[in-house]
Amino acid sequence: MSGFAAPRRPQQSLLARLRQRMTLRRLTLMSLALNLFLAAILGAMLVGATGKPSPPPYRPMPDRFVEHMAAGLSDADATRLRAIFEPLRPRYDALTEDYRQEGQRVRSLLQGEPVDFESLNAAIAAARAKRRLIGELTEQTVLLVLPDLSPAGRLRLVGGWGTAGAPDTPKK
């Protein structure tokens, strides 16, 4: 053999090679974790922007009012309250539909260009009058049921002295 031998690369020690691998592994794992974190944030932002929660199911006005008031009454008083409102449902439905139509009229006038402020004020007044009619019908109905309620139920319904008044229900 000749005296020429190929120069050998110095061998890295086993410890140096493990350190290098562990560093690459750590960097890879950290990169993966960061990518997953950023993907989760991006996904949450996309869902938040497009996945709006659906509104609660529509419940007509007398149902919302009656259930809110009945929550603090005894079972017998709550039954009486529901019974007095049930025959008035068609009247509430008609008033509610009129109120919705007036609200739609206000919205359509606001979208017009230029805005006719005289018509807008008239439409707002008409919508306010419909809302007032619904309130008056509700007051009359409550006054009709008061004599049939127990004394504690009457105080609870009108929020008299010494009672907690109408119960607070969580807003949805």
Side-chain angles (χ1 to χ4, degrees), residues 11 22 134:
Q11 285 272 333
M22 285 178 53
I134 293 171

Side-chain angles (χ1 to χ4, degrees), residues 11-153:
Q11 285 272 333
Q12 288 182 346
S13 70
L14 181 63
L15 185 61
R17 286 188 305 199
L18 284 176
R19 281 186 186 155
Q20 186 179 13
R21 283 186 196 163
M22 285 178 53
T23 303
L24 289 176
R25 284 184 184 160
R26 284 184 184 156
L27 286 175
T28 304
L29 287 174
M30 287 173 42
S31 174
L32 178 63
L34 182 61
N35 285 332
L36 289 174
F37 175 73
L38 292 174
I41 288 177
L42 181 63
M45 288 173 40
L46 290 175
V47 167
T50 59
K52 294 180 182 174
S54 61
Y58 173 74
R59 288 177 40 200
M61 183 273 170
D63 292 340
R64 289 188 313 254
F65 175 78
V66 169
E67 292 310 314
H68 175 74
M69 298 309 288
L73 298 174
S74 68
D75 290 340
D77 286 342
T79 302
R80 288 184 193 108
L81 182 66
R82 289 182 185 104
I84 195 96
F85 271 90
E86 193 56 40
L88 297 171
R89 185 175 300 282
R91 191 162 174 203
Y92 274 106
D93 290 344
L95 285 172
T96 302
E97 184 59 32
D98 290 346
Y99 180 65
R100 267 198 215 126
Q101 287 175 357
E102 292 297 333
Q104 184 58 42
R105 184 167 169 238
V106 168
R107 284 186 288 281
S108 65
L109 286 171
L110 283 171
Q111 292 172 351
E113 194 59 45
V115 176
D116 181 7
F117 286 102
E118 288 182 28
S119 299
L120 180 64
N121 284 332
I124 290 171
R128 190 178 301 129
K130 296 298 180 185
R131 181 71 181 169
R132 222 178 273 131
L133 285 174
I134 293 171
E136 289 172 3
L137 179 61
T138 303
E139 289 172 9
Q140 291 169 2
T141 308
V142 168
L143 289 173
L144 284 174
V145 77
L146 282 176
D148 296 336
L149 297 179
S150 67

